[in-house]
């Protein structure tokens, strides 16, 4: 009669262990990664929000099981597919080197998803991290041909391995490379010489995230010797600030535009220079092949406007602005977007700069605004009034095609301001016989979907107006 779990036959224990594995690991797929904050859930007061999303393993399998007893370790070691995911910790209580070597042996020839992570530690300085990372990389790099993903989330940018310098060789299986950090501790890198650079071939790479300084040194400065992978779909670059050397936007884009399969480009706090006044890098016909969604965090308006000009792209399918800032600059210089997302814009001038760019046939149909103190009555009036009279310009409306408006946690307007916007646009639309954009009499569309959450209460008189004039695609209003 069985007395405890270890008395079960080995094949039964293997079935149990198999059921403990993450679902995708059981289905012979890449491991299931959840989006969690760095450093075990700790987000410091100065930790930028675009840094807190990083892929981490959602389960400690199989390491949590091998630590139970010797028998379980011996059984688990016989199944190489259990060891495709390798989690290595640095900082306090780092993963022992012998354990890394042993787990690599267990994985045999399986493709590897490697996580190089820092344990929670409130310190913002650690002079041992770089040495710990180098020691781990000395063990991992010889099997780079088996890497399927490499996700590093460390404290110091200087601790990260750099492509073409520390990461070299051919990694045919590598699909995701994330080199993330909290503290950018490098003012500049040593001058690069020919003997320092070695090929780093990643033909299958689809997702790349790294700091601006390392990207400049590994890809931009070496372009076209080290081009970006042809199938790259997502690129995230962040933290290039003073006192780093000048980084021209045009140099960055020359490196990126050959990636015609790019689906998402994220730039976060990249202080780039825009002195180049030459012709665009793409002609209008070629620009239609470059369909990336663009996301800006803590970026300046001149860089954004220049990026749009150099790409010959006055219109993107999706464009988002988070905590961006717009100095005095010509209106209508911002690119348009079918879907525009704004978050954390404090000044109404910043919001108006974006809204004013969505004019005529270059306007999109969806606008989502979150936590923007600058989005108030004045902006709603801009959206609800043509820039020029109908007699002189045929009615030039900001966001002429706007149909879906979502407002979250914005406090600088009342329900009467929102209702007036919806009412004036509907009346203007009705005056043209509800003309659509393709028709010659078109001026502006009606807003057909409205969501207002956590902004202000819906006054009775405004509620009554919406009941008399229901929106085609629905109204949701919650003041909490």
């Amino acid at each position: 009669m069985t007395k405890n779990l270890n008395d079960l036959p080995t094949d039964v224990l293997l079935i149990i262990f198999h059921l403990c594995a993450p679902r995708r690991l059981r289905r012979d797929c890449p491991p299931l990664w959840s989006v969690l904050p760095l450093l075990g859930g700790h987000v410091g007061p100065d930790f930028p929000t675009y840094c807190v999303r990083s892929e981490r393993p959602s389960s400690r399998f199989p390491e949590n099981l091998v630590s139970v007893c010797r028998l379980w370790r011996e059984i688990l070691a016989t199944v190489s597919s259990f060891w495709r995911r390798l989690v290595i910790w640095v900082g306090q209580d780092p993963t022992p080197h012998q354990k890394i070597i042993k787990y690599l042996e267990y994985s045999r020839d399986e493709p590897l998803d490697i996580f190089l992570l820092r344990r929670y530690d409130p310190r913002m300085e650690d002079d041992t991290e770089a040495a710990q990372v180098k020691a781990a990389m000395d063990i991992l790099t010889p099997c780079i041909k088996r890497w399927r993903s490499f996700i590093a989330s460390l404290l110091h940018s200087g601790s990260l391995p750099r492509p073409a310098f520390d990461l070299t060789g051919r990694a045919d299986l590598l699909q995701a490379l994330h080199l993330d950090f909290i503290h950018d501790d490098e003012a500049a890198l040593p001058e690069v010489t020919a003997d320092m650079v070695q090929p780093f071939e990643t033909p299958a790479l689809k997702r790349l995230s790294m700091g601006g300084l390392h990207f400049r040194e590994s890809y931009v400065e070496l372009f076209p010797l080290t081009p970006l992978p042809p199938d790259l779909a997502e690129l995230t670059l962040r933290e290039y600030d003073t006192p780093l050397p000048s980084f021209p936007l045009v140099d960055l884009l020359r490196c990126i535009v050959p990636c015609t399969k790019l689906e998402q480009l994220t730039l976060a706090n990249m202080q780039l220079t825009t002195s180049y006044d030459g012709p665009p890098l793409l002609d209008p016909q070629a620009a239609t092949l470059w369909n990336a969604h663009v996301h800006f965090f803590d970026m300046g308006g001149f860089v954004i406007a220049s990026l749009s000009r150099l790409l010959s792209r006055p219109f993107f399918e999706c464009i988002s602005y988070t905590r961006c800032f717009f100095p005095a600059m010509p209106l209508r210089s911002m690119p348009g977007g079918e879907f525009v997302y704004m978050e954390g814009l404090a000044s109404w001038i910043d919001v108006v700069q974006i809204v004013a760019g969505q004019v005529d046939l270059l306007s999109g149909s969806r606008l989502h605004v979150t936590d923007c103190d600058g989005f108030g009555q004045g902006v709603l009036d801009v959206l609800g009034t043509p820039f020029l009279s109908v007699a002189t310009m045929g009615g030039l409306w900001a966001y002429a095609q706007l149909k879906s408006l979502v407002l979250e946690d914005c406090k600088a307007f009342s329900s009467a301001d929102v209702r007036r916007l919806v009412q004036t646009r509907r009346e203007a639309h009705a005056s043209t016989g509800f003309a659509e954009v393709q028709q010659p009499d078109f001026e502006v569309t009606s807003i057909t979907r409205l969501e207002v959450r956590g902004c202000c209460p819906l006054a009775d008189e405004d509620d009554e107006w919406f009941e008399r004039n229901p929106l085609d695609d629905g109204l949701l209003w919650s003041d909490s």
Side-chain angles (χ1 to χ4, degrees):
M1 182 176 181
T2 300
K3 296 182 180 180
N4 59 55
L5 188 62
N6 284 356
D7 290 333
L8 292 172
T10 298
D11 56 348
V12 175
L13 284 174
L14 273 176
I15 294 173
I16 295 173
F17 296 154
H18 180 76
L19 293 174
C20 292
R23 183 180 303 172
R24 289 196 178 184
L25 193 60
R26 298 202 305 265
R27 295 203 317 246
D28 193 27
C29 291
L32 178 62
W33 296 333
S34 59
V35 178
L36 298 172
L38 296 179
L39 302 184
H42 173 71
V43 180
D46 300 320
F47 202 50
T49 57
Y50 52 77
C51 301
V52 302
R53 291 171 59 90
S54 184
E55 293 170 346
R56 299 173 72 100
S58 58
S59 167
R60 292 186 63 244
F61 178 90
E63 189 172 7
N64 55 349
L65 297 182
V66 297
S67 62
V68 172
C69 65
R70 180 178 177 180
L71 174 64
W72 287 22
R73 182 170 63 252
E74 292 175 350
I75 294 175
L76 286 160
T78 63
V79 182
S80 60
S81 60
F82 285 166
W83 301 93
R84 294 174 183 155
R85 181 183 56 193
L86 180 59
V87 182
I88 301 169
W89 297 98
V90 299
Q92 296 183 8
D93 189 22
T95 303
H97 298 164
Q98 287 303 315
K99 182 177 288 189
I100 301 174
I101 295 171
K102 186 62 67 176
Y103 290 171
L104 285 174
E105 292 176 357
Y106 294 165
S107 68
R108 298 175 179 83
D109 295 326
E110 297 283 349
L112 296 173
D113 297 290
I114 299 172
F115 296 82
L116 183 61
L117 308 175
R118 181 178 177 81
R119 293 193 189 277
Y120 168 73
D121 189 333
R123 294 179 299 166
M124 290 302 291
E125 296 290 340
D126 185 354
D127 57 6
T128 67
E129 182 182 73
Q132 292 182 15
V133 171
K134 184 180 184 306
M137 293 303 299
D138 288 343
I139 301 173
L140 296 170
T141 302
C143 60
I144 197 170
K145 64 181 180 180
R146 291 200 285 135
W147 291 9
R148 183 168 52 183
S149 61
F150 182 82
I151 313 297
S153 296
L154 304 177
L155 175 61
H156 296 295
S157 62
S159 302
L160 290 164
R162 289 184 293 157
F165 296 92
D166 309 300
L167 298 176
T168 61
R170 189 170 181 89
D172 286 331
L173 302 182
L174 189 64
Q175 298 181 27
L177 178 62
H178 289 209
L179 304 172
D180 296 330
F181 56 91
I182 295 175
H183 179 53
D184 191 358
D185 58 342
E186 294 184 297
L189 294 173
E191 183 177 352
V192 176
T193 59
D195 61 308
M196 297 171 59
V197 180
Q198 299 184 54
F200 181 47
E201 300 178 69
T202 56
L205 191 66
K206 289 182 170 54
R207 297 158 53 204
L208 175 62
S209 173
M210 60 190 301
L213 179 59
H214 285 180
F215 183 83
R216 181 172 182 251
E217 296 291 332
S218 295
Y219 290 101
V220 177
E221 292 294 319
L222 301 179
F223 183 81
L225 180 63
T226 58
L228 288 169
D231 293 333
L232 190 67
E234 298 179 17
L235 176 63
T236 299
L237 303 176
R238 63 183 185 89
E239 302 301 333
Y240 194 94
D241 205 347
T242 55
L244 292 173
S246 173
F247 190 172
L249 171 65
V250 66
D251 291 348
L252 171 64
L253 293 181
R254 283 197 181 102
C255 181
I256 294 176
V257 292
C259 301
T260 57
K261 296 183 180 180
L262 197 65
E263 299 173 359
Q264 179 172 303
L265 172 64
T266 300
L267 300 179
N269 193 31
M270 293 286 292
Q271 305 304 310
L272 306 169
T273 56
T274 57
S275 56
Y276 173 80
D277 59 1
L281 302 181
L282 294 177
D283 60 47
Q285 287 77 18
T288 60
L289 301 176
W290 206 85
N291 294 318
H293 296 179
V294 291
H295 305 277
F296 299 109
F297 292 81
D298 301 299
M299 296 290 293
F302 286 118
V303 173
I304 297 172
S306 182
L307 178 143
S308 176
R309 183 188 76 81
L310 292 174
L311 294 178
S312 298
R313 286 302 300 266
F315 190 85
F316 292 89
E317 182 178 348
C318 176
I319 185 168
S320 68
Y321 305 88
T322 301
R323 297 182 309 275
C324 294
F325 48 94
F326 301 87
M329 53 194 305
L331 288 176
R332 299 180 59 184
S333 58
M334 290 297 102
E338 170 62 23
F339 173 75
V340 175
Y341 177 82
M342 291 186 280
E343 181 178 3
L345 302 184
S347 167
W348 76 272
I349 297 177
D350 295 340
V351 177
V352 167
Q353 288 281 3
I354 297 173
V355 168
Q358 321 300 314
V359 295
D360 204 21
L361 299 181
L362 296 181
S363 66
S365 65
R366 296 186 294 162
L367 174 62
H368 192 136
V369 185
T370 299
D371 191 23
C372 287
D373 293 338
F375 195 96
Q377 176 186 346
V379 177
L380 290 169
D381 289 343
V382 169
L383 289 169
T385 308
F387 277 98
L388 298 173
S389 69
V390 175
T392 57
M393 288 294 293
L396 187 60
W397 291 77
Y399 257 112
Q401 301 182 58
L402 180 62
K403 292 184 177 181
S404 173
L405 178 61
V406 179
L407 306 174
E408 293 182 296
D409 299 319
C410 301
K411 310 293 186 181
F413 55 79
S414 67
S415 65
D417 300 324
V418 179
R419 186 265 307 155
R420 186 168 58 252
L421 164 68
V422 176
Q423 181 177 355
T424 56
R425 291 177 70 100
R426 172 174 288 193
E427 291 172 350
H429 194 195
S431 69
T432 64
F434 296 99
E436 295 298 326
V437 65
Q438 300 87 356
Q439 298 174 331
D441 293 335
F442 172 78
E443 293 178 11
V444 66
T445 63
S446 302
I447 293 177
T448 61
R449 174 176 174 263
L450 175 64
E451 294 186 23
V452 182
R453 296 190 290 266
C455 298
C456 60
L458 177 59
D460 292 341
E461 58 271 24
D462 301 318
D463 190 15
E464 292 172 0
W465 186 90
F466 282 115
E467 288 184 358
R468 295 193 306 269
N469 302 273
L471 305 185
D472 293 344
D473 298 318
L475 167 68
L476 186 153
W477 197 299
S478 172
D479 57 3
S480 60

